[in-house]
Each structure stands twice: as structure tokens, then as C-alpha cells.
Amino acid sequence: MILPAEFDAQDFVQLTWPHRDTDWAYIYNKVVDCYCNMAREIAKREPLLIVAQHPTEVVEELKEHNVPLTNIRMFGCKTNDTWARDHGFITCLHNGQKVLMDFQFNGWGMKFASNHDNQINRNLHEAGAIEGIYTNCLDFVLEGGSIESDGKGTILTTTPCLMAPNRNDVMNKAEIEIQLCQFFNAERVLWLDHSWLAGDDTDGHVDTVARFCSVDTIAYVQCLDQNDEHYAELHAMEEELKAFRTLDGKPYNLIPLPMPRAIYDEDEVDECGNPQRLPATYANFLIMNSAVLMPTYGDESNDKLATSQLQKAFPEKEIIGINCEILVRQHGSLHCCTMQYPK
């Protein structure tokens, strides 16, 4: 059994759609615009599964945005929120079959309600909407955004997230590493001790800072501005990445991605009245069979630079920008909204 890399061949992609009872309510129309843009670009290239609390309304929204429905399947069930990366199945392959691993999602350490989202996977499998061998892993808290796989036995993750309170508190780091290797038949776990982004609710998901692009290539967020609050943390992470070695003992090919311009939420302020910085990051991209969907942030120069850097990592794929300024209002971005399923 192996956990495929995201750059391995895919079968389809899942989105979990916003509704007016989620935290998106105050910007609902704008976030639907963004979701329709994602749906359009995904469905052009791969089948798309949309999980929705109100599927009939979603169909109408897609039609209003001129999104063709021919490559889209709808599944209706209750949802708390929209972060499919973290409540979706983590899918392994074994003897040509999908192994659908259903881990516990608890709202990133019980920060937010997750009672409905934590049942989506079982609902999908019981209804036959996703085929594979259902595997109950609900005694372990794990979000898809917290791990990266190279498809060859290496798991990349972050210490701040997996060791955060209210995840798997009864286990120490060594025990968690053993558990990850057992779940995914992995040979090793690479731990990043530095992954902090201001405004991040996940305690440092790896998919916000460092991503496998191939078995020997990692794209990562680089901060060059010494006056930026992220400089020390991301410089320390960069040094960690430089020290990592591939399974055959070679340094990784590291491709730096720029920091987007700082984006703030004027409605969220700290005790000093300062607006909350939001966790905009170009590392939160989705790898597909023929394309990479990359978040953009209305920052022309950095959006362009991030595109050219990702093109180096994926020379055979089309790099498609999706404006995700609205997504970071709820402290996530494009990759957080999606979950791919391997062939």
C-alpha cells in the first residue's frame, strides 16, 4: 500500500460547496464566484465531485456562472464548512484498489464545529458516491493539508501542526511518526519545525508552506523581506529544507515561491486594534493531471513570479491562476478547498 503523490495520476477532484449557514455568509456571493471559477477549471480537465448541503441551489449557481455540468457530479449532505482537503478521504492504493482512509476531522483541534463535516466521508461511501475499501481511522486526528507524500514512501509534515493541542495529545512525536508510517506504509517522515503563517487556523499545515512537485523537487514559500514578521520563521524553514535529503541521499531541488503582498482583514483586530493579517500563500496550489491551479491575490508582480516559478516545477503542465483573495478571508486558500482522488 502507498499514499500516492498529488502529482501522480488522478481520477477526480472533490469540492465541498459553501452555503449561507457557514462562515461564508457575509461574503457568500463573492465566495460562490470563486468556487465557480475553481469548478470551471477543474471540470474542464477532470471529473469533479461537488458535496453540497443544497445541491439544487449549487446547480443553479453553476449555470448562472456558465459552468458546464457535463463533467460534474453532485452529492447532497449536511456540512459545517467547505475545507475538503481536511475532511476528505486520504486515499491510498493497494493492489490496484483505492483504500479510502477516513481520519477524524475535529475542526483543527476543536477550534470550529465539525460534526457534519466529519461524517461526509461515510455518507459518500455508504451512498456509493466514492468507490473503494473504506478504512475507519477515526481514532486518529489527521487533516489532508497537514501531510505531503512523494508517492515513494516519504511523508512531509510539520511539528507545530501534528503536535498541536487537541489533535492526538496522548501521543508523543515518535509515536505519531510510527503511526503515520503504519497508516501509509511509509519509510520515513520529514518534519518541518517551522511553518507559521500569520492568521493560519491550522497550526501550520504543510500545504501552506512546502509542497512536493516531484520525488526530488519541493516548492516552498520564501520570505526575503527582513522586516516582514515571517522572515525568521520562513528562513529557518528554508534551512530545514536545504538539510533534507531524498531517499537516495541527494539534496532536494528547491523552488522558492514569493510571499504575496500582505493582506489584512480590517474586520478582525487584535487587542491593540491592529487588523489581522491573512495567510495568503502561493504554496496552496492544486496539482492536476494536465494543469496546476494556483491561487493569486491581485498582486500582479508576485502573481506573475509565482506562476513562472511553478512552471519550472511543472514544465509539462499548464499553470492556471485563480483569484483567491476572498478565500483567505476565512484563512484558507485553493488547495484547502479541494481533495484529489488517485487513479
Side-chain angles (χ1 to χ4, degrees):
M1 189 170 77
I2 195 71
L3 177 61
E6 191 167 315
F7 51 77
D8 288 333
Q10 294 176 18
D11 196 2
F12 64 94
V13 173
Q14 175 185 333
L15 287 173
T16 302
W17 208 262
H19 57 83
R20 290 181 178 84
D21 293 326
T22 64
D23 290 338
W24 296 110
Y26 73 110
I27 46 175
Y28 181 75
N29 290 334
K30 291 181 179 180
V31 78
V32 166
D33 290 345
C34 183
Y35 266 74
C36 285
N37 290 336
M38 288 191 289
R40 181 184 297 105
E41 297 300 333
I42 293 169
K44 280 181 185 178
R45 297 164 177 85
E46 296 180 19
L48 173 62
L49 169 65
I50 294 178
V51 175
Q53 184 153 307
H54 306 294
T56 302
E57 291 182 15
V58 175
V59 169
E60 292 305 311
E61 290 166 347
L62 292 166
K63 289 179 179 178
E64 289 170 6
H65 287 78
N66 298 312
V67 180
L69 303 176
T70 50
N71 213 22
I72 297 176
R73 292 185 294 137
M74 303 294 303
F75 181 81
C77 69
K78 288 186 176 181
T79 64
N80 298 105
D81 214 327
T82 57
W83 307 109
R85 177 63 46 183
D86 295 339
H87 62 241
F89 280 119
I90 298 175
T91 308
C92 289
L93 296 178
H94 181 63
N95 293 333
Q97 290 187 299
K98 293 178 186 176
V99 180
L100 304 170
M101 307 189 77
D102 188 10
F103 291 93
Q104 182 185 157
F105 173 61
N106 72 349
W108 310 284
M110 296 190 282
K111 296 183 184 74
F112 303 95
S114 57
N115 55 314
H116 298 313
D117 289 347
N118 198 42
Q119 299 179 59
I120 290 173
N121 292 338
R122 277 169 288 177
N123 290 332
L124 283 165
H125 186 260
E126 288 173 2
I130 295 181
E131 295 182 353
I133 301 169
Y134 179 88
T135 304
N136 187 329
C137 305
L138 293 169
D139 59 349
F140 192 82
V141 178
L142 188 69
E143 302 108 29
S146 70
I147 57 171
E148 281 277 304
S149 172
D150 69 351
K152 301 295 183 182
T154 299
I155 301 296
L156 176 65
T157 190
T158 67
T159 309
C161 177
L162 266 63
M163 298 303 296
N166 301 319
R167 295 289 213 299
N168 299 292
D169 294 24
V170 298
M171 304 177 73
N172 61 34
K173 186 176 180 179
E175 291 168 334
I176 288 176
E177 179 166 329
I178 290 170
Q179 189 72 78
L180 291 176
C181 289
Q182 290 177 343
F183 278 135
F184 303 121
N185 195 29
E187 292 187 34
R188 61 178 185 157
V189 178
L190 299 178
W191 294 85
L192 287 170
D193 294 329
H194 301 274
S195 61
W196 174 79
L197 292 180
D200 174 31
D201 289 326
T202 70
D203 302 303
H205 272 185
V206 72
D207 74 344
T208 65
V209 291
R211 304 288 309 283
F212 278 123
C213 301
S214 70
V215 71
D216 62 357
T217 300
I218 297 174
Y220 71 100
V221 178
Q222 182 184 60
C223 183
L224 298 175
D225 181 1
Q226 295 187 27
N227 295 316
D228 190 294
E229 61 190 307
H230 296 101
Y231 178 78
E233 181 78 1
L234 293 180
H235 179 71
M237 182 191 75
E238 186 176 38
E239 293 303 306
E240 289 182 293
L241 290 168
K242 289 177 180 178
F244 286 159
R245 293 294 180 266
T246 63
L247 281 167
D248 57 3
K250 298 176 182 178
Y252 280 96
N253 174 31
L254 299 178
I255 297 181
L257 302 173
M259 284 286 293
R261 64 177 174 83
I263 301 176
Y264 295 91
D265 188 342
E266 302 295 335
D267 297 324
E268 290 189 41
V269 297
D270 61 22
E271 61 275 8
C272 299
N274 299 313
Q276 170 70 64
R277 186 168 178 177
L278 298 172
T281 168
Y282 293 112
N284 210 241
F285 54 83
L286 173 69
I287 308 168
M288 300 175 62
N289 289 328
S290 62
V292 175
L293 300 192
M294 185 196 82
T296 63
Y297 300 101
D299 179 357
E300 184 175 355
S301 60
N302 282 319
D303 290 349
K304 185 177 180 179
L305 177 57
T307 301
S308 65
Q309 289 296 91
L310 276 185
Q311 194 71 76
K312 294 176 183 177
F314 302 101
E316 305 301 320
K317 296 183 187 289
E318 183 181 9
I319 311 298
I320 301 163
I322 303 285
N323 189 300
C324 292
E325 290 177 86
I326 200 67
L327 293 184
V328 292
R329 304 289 288 189
Q330 283 297 313
H331 307 265
S333 198
L334 192 151
H335 191 250
C336 307
C337 298
T338 62
M339 175 55 83
Q340 79 287 338
Y341 289 77
K343 282 189 180 298

